[in-house]
Amino acid sequence: MKYFLKLFLILLIIFSFTITSGTIEANSDLRNALIAEGNGNFKKAINYFKLALKSCQKRENKIEILNNIAVLYYRIKDYSNSVSTFKKCISLAPKNEKLWNNLGLCFIKTSQNNKAIKCFKKAITLCKDFINPFRNLLDIYYKTKSYKKALY
């Protein structure tokens, strides 16, 4: 059942991307990226997503593809590329709290806690209902024994 659900979601993404981008090349590259990612070949998926990005016209699709690339970099522990790719995403969607939160997670992995804190606070400012940046901020304060800061 999970296999069919995943296949359905992949086909839905490809179909929606085809409608909005209008290019067969991007559609093929996106399909190949999703297949490679599904097979656990993250580096290959990154390369296909980058090819799809070149053919992409719509800003919303660019953000989605860049986010996928950044997440894949994170998964292969290439945090510097993940940071730079999340920054590109944020330049296109500066009010997206999830992107700010994910950038903060990258900064944690590179031991840049002050930058991570700024990202989590920005995410909280953008959406007070999004709990992840609160949790991540508290985690930093706990690990650095900044208990008083965790109270505010």
Side-chain angles (χ1 to χ4, degrees):
M1 184 67 174
K2 283 184 176 182
Y3 173 77
F4 292 111
L5 180 61
K6 190 172 186 177
L7 181 61
F8 174 75
L9 290 174
I10 289 171
L11 292 174
L12 182 63
I13 291 170
I14 291 171
F15 178 71
S16 66
F17 190 76
T18 302
I19 291 171
T20 56
S21 72
T23 62
I24 294 172
E25 297 83 13
N27 181 29
S28 175
D29 293 329
L30 184 62
R31 178 179 50 82
N32 289 334
L34 294 170
I35 290 169
E37 181 181 2
N39 290 330
N41 193 338
F42 301 139
K43 289 182 180 181
K44 191 174 186 179
I46 289 168
N47 290 331
Y48 279 120
F49 276 126
K50 285 181 178 180
L51 290 172
L53 188 62
K54 289 179 183 178
S55 303
C56 185
Q57 301 296 320
K58 294 208 173 207
R59 184 178 148 277
E60 295 81 21
N61 292 341
K62 287 181 183 183
I63 295 165
E64 186 67 30
I65 293 171
L66 284 168
N67 182 62
N68 284 329
I69 293 169
V71 168
L72 288 171
Y73 277 132
Y74 186 90
R75 291 181 76 181
I76 62 173
K77 299 178 182 354
D78 185 349
Y79 303 118
S80 63
N81 276 320
S82 187
V83 165
S84 64
T85 308
F86 274 125
K87 285 181 177 180
K88 288 178 189 173
C89 285
I90 289 171
S91 72
L92 295 172
K95 294 185 179 183
N96 185 316
E97 70 279 358
K98 292 178 178 127
L99 295 175
W100 282 103
N101 183 68
N102 289 343
L103 179 59
L105 291 172
C106 292
F107 283 134
I108 287 175
K109 291 293 188 179
T110 58
S111 300
Q112 299 179 67
N113 288 343
N114 289 334
K115 289 182 179 181
I117 289 168
K118 288 178 184 177
C119 289
F120 297 139
K121 286 183 176 182
K122 178 69 174 180
I124 290 167
T125 301
L126 292 170
C127 182
K128 300 214 184 312
D129 296 334
F130 184 41
I131 193 146
N132 292 4
F134 286 103
R135 185 179 299 126
N136 295 328
L137 194 57
L138 288 173
D139 190 46
I140 289 176
Y141 289 147
Y142 177 77
K143 287 178 180 175
T144 60
K145 299 182 182 187
S146 303
Y147 304 120
K148 289 183 181 179
K149 288 182 180 179
L151 297 174
Y152 296 104

